[in-house]
Each structure stands twice: as C-alpha cells, then as structure tokens.
Amino acid sequence: MPLLARSVQAPLHIHVRRGAVADLGRILADGRVSAGGDVAVVVGPGQGERIAELIRPSLQTADVFTTTGGTLDAALELADKLRSRQYDAVVGIGGGTTVDTAKYAANRWGLPMISVATSLANDGIASPVASLINDGIKGSYGVHIPFGVIVDLDFVETGPERVNRGGIGDAISNISALADWELAREMRGEPVDGLAASLARMGAEAVLTMPGDLHDDAFVTVLAEALISSGLAMAVCGSSRPASGGCHEIMHAIDSLYPGTASHGELAGLGALFCTYLRGDERRFAQMSDCLSRHQLPRVPSDIGLSAEQFVEAVAFAPRTRPDRYTILEHLAMSPDEINGKLAHYVDAVAGR
C-alpha cells in the first residue's frame, strides 16, 4: 500500500451519538469546510438515500450523487462528476464502500470530506485509506483523513447486525497488528510510532474487554470510538502499520483467492486470532477467542466456509499481499505442511475455549 500523507491533524468534528446526523449542518457551517454551502453529497443504496432526504432541507444547494460497488472505477467516475461545478466539500453517507468511494473522489480534487457512517464494519470511517476494488482485487489507496466523522447510533442500530459485528473483529485485530509492529522493531529495527500505537491499542483494548453487545448503546459507542481511533493512528504515523499486520495479510489473501468469503472485519478478526496463536501468546489468544465467540464472529476456517486446505493456501499466499511488511508470518516463513500442522493445533485450541 502506498504511504499515506502523514498528518497529526485529527478530524475537527467527531460526533458519536443518537441523532448525530443533525450535527451535519453545524459541521458544514464551519467556514473551514464550506463557506457557501456548495456541497456534494455521496450516498449508497439503502440508508444513505434516507439520510440524504432527512438533511436535504438544510442542504438546499447540495447535489446528491449515488454510487455503488466500491470500485476504483466508481470512485474515478464520481471524481469526474465533482468537476461539474465548484464544491466546497464532499459528504459521504453510507457504509464502508460508499465512504471510501467518497474519500477517494474528494482526495482527487483536494476537497474536505465528511464521513457519515451508517455502519461500523471497519475502521475506514475515519482512516486515511480508501479500500477499493480494481480489476477484481481490493487495493488500499492513501487519501486525506476525513475532516469530520458522524456516527448516528439510530442508523447503526437499524443496519445489518452482521455488518456491524465485523467492526469488532477489525478493532481487536489491532492488538495483533501492534504485536507484529513490535516484532518488526526487534528483528529489523523498524521504528514504532508510540502515539500511533497508543491510539490503536486504546480502542482495541476497550472493545476486547467491554461488556455488552450491539444492542447496548454504551458498547456501540465504544466500538465506534475504537474504529475512529484506529483511523487516527494510521494518520499519525503515515501508514496502516498500527492497524494492519499478518491479520490483514491473511484477510487480503482470502479476498484475492476466495472473494466474497466473508467481510473485512470478520476476516481480520480470524486472521488476528490465528496470528496470535502462532506467537504463542496464550493470554491474548484466550481474550481474543472469547471476544470473537461472544460476538458470534468466525474463529476457524470452517466458520467462513473454507476448508483447511484453502486456509493453508491463503496463509502461504498472505505475505505476498504486503511485501513491505514484516509480521509473524514472514518471521516463521512456514511451508504449507508446517501451516497445516499449526492450523490443526489451532483448531483444537479454539475448540478448547
């Protein structure tokens, strides 16, 4: 993945609460975002269009664009449409693919972007990364971090629960990513940004130990804030390092070899648990396994419909998805037979939890 624009500037506006979408007008009234109210609103299918209708009275000079697919082509097409007039800002309303498409298009013209998330599927709601599909393969593109982030719990609550559960897996995968970063420091002298690591760890630890579930406002708020903190961590250090290690290498490998198998967050959580097992960290393994189980997230390949042979193939392929990364996978440099042996013991360990 290309290096991100290093910036310690956090979004100037972060709103996580019920009814938070009503704050959009106040954010856009900030002269640093929009001086004249000329805003492009980007929505996806479903709740994005519903929210656009709700805010239309306060955005009478806005143009609304609908996007689908989450592809690089869709983002470039949207960027071309943004040239139709002078816009002050772009507002992306919807799930991860819609927000990422809007982020990329806004970044093409250097426009401030406001992220209005209707789901908590992953940390893309506030990250300086746009995950888009190009030629059938999902890639990560560096963009500017959103100027503002709105998470309205009313809309998150009515969204697909499985989508939101995926965000739990993505949040706690930071623990594995940070362990990989520390391993790279020990083995290769790779510098670790302490502030970025703290931001990424803070949210992950909170989600890992927080009681409750997605029907509990307190838990959902903690999850939203954890995902936002993860995005800030990437912006601080200028790369996805604090939130992406062997866990995400496995995720990208499965996406490439077996597209459509599971969501980003589901795969990140599974990959993180497997990598934690490979490190021999029994305490963390127990914590993460219990958390994934409690929130009904996959822990073994069969939970996502993959055979042992398919998962072994994905793990063997995983280091090629991020050639610049040093993680537990590169450190162990396992052969397929060795991965298969580790996987068998791992499945037994999960079953014993």
Side-chain angles (χ1 to χ4, degrees), residues 28 33-34 36-41 59 61-65 85-91 114:
L28 293 173
V33 181
S34 176
D38 293 318
V39 177
V41 177
L59 297 176
T61 60
D63 291 329
V64 178
F65 300 94
R85 59 181 276 205
Q86 291 289 335
Y87 291 108
D88 295 327
V90 176
V91 179
I114 310 298

Side-chain angles (χ1 to χ4, degrees), residues 58-316:
S58 62
L59 297 176
Q60 295 181 4
T61 60
D63 291 329
V64 178
F65 300 94
T66 301
T67 185
T68 59
T71 64
L72 181 59
D73 285 343
L76 291 171
E77 180 182 347
L78 175 62
D80 284 341
K81 291 178 180 177
L82 295 181
R83 300 180 67 185
S84 62
R85 59 181 276 205
Q86 291 289 335
Y87 291 108
D88 295 327
V90 176
V91 179
I93 305 175
T97 56
T98 302
V99 169
D100 280 352
T101 301
K103 280 195 292 187
Y104 186 92
N107 190 77
R108 291 276 290 183
W109 308 118
L111 295 172
M113 186 269 180
I114 310 298
S115 170
V116 182
T118 60
S119 69
L120 298 176
N122 55 63
D123 58 16
I125 59 176
S127 76
V129 178
S131 296
L132 300 167
I133 298 171
N134 184 28
D135 292 332
I137 299 174
K138 182 172 285 188
S140 299
Y141 301 88
V143 297
H144 197 279
I145 194 167
F147 199 87
V149 180
I150 293 175
V151 179
D152 192 319
L153 302 188
D154 290 323
F155 290 98
V156 171
E157 179 181 66
T158 57
E161 186 169 321
R162 180 184 172 185
V163 172
N164 292 322
R165 281 204 306 267
I168 299 169
D170 199 31
I172 68 171
S173 74
N174 285 5
I175 293 170
S176 178
L178 291 169
D180 280 334
W181 203 5
E182 182 61 28
L183 178 64
R185 185 193 67 79
E186 293 173 1
M187 302 305 299
R188 301 201 310 184
E190 183 175 326
V192 172
D193 187 309
L195 176 58
S198 295
L199 284 167
R201 190 182 308 280
M202 174 179 62
E205 296 281 7
V207 172
L208 191 66
T209 58
M210 180 74 180
D213 57 25
L214 291 170
H215 302 287
D216 181 2
D217 276 9
F219 178 84
V220 177
T221 299
V222 166
L223 174 59
E225 291 173 346
L227 295 174
I228 292 170
S229 293
S230 185
L232 297 184
M234 289 185 261
V236 164
C237 74
S239 85
S240 61
R241 203 38 158 138
S244 174
C247 49
H248 279 59
E249 289 183 338
I250 292 174
M251 178 200 75
H252 288 300
I254 293 175
D255 271 344
S256 296
L257 297 172
Y258 307 104
T261 298
S263 72
H264 175 114
E266 289 172 329
L267 295 178
L270 170 59
L273 187 63
F274 183 66
C275 287
T276 301
Y277 176 81
L278 293 178
R279 286 187 208 93
D281 190 337
E282 295 182 5
R283 181 181 70 88
R284 282 297 195 195
F285 176 78
Q287 283 184 315
M288 294 175 69
S289 181
D290 289 348
C291 179
L292 293 175
S293 176
R294 185 167 68 252
H295 294 290
Q296 303 171 54
L297 285 161
R299 296 186 294 167
V300 294
S302 60
D303 289 340
I304 56 172
L306 291 184
S307 66
E309 292 76 15
Q310 289 172 321
F311 189 76
V312 167
E313 182 186 10
V315 173

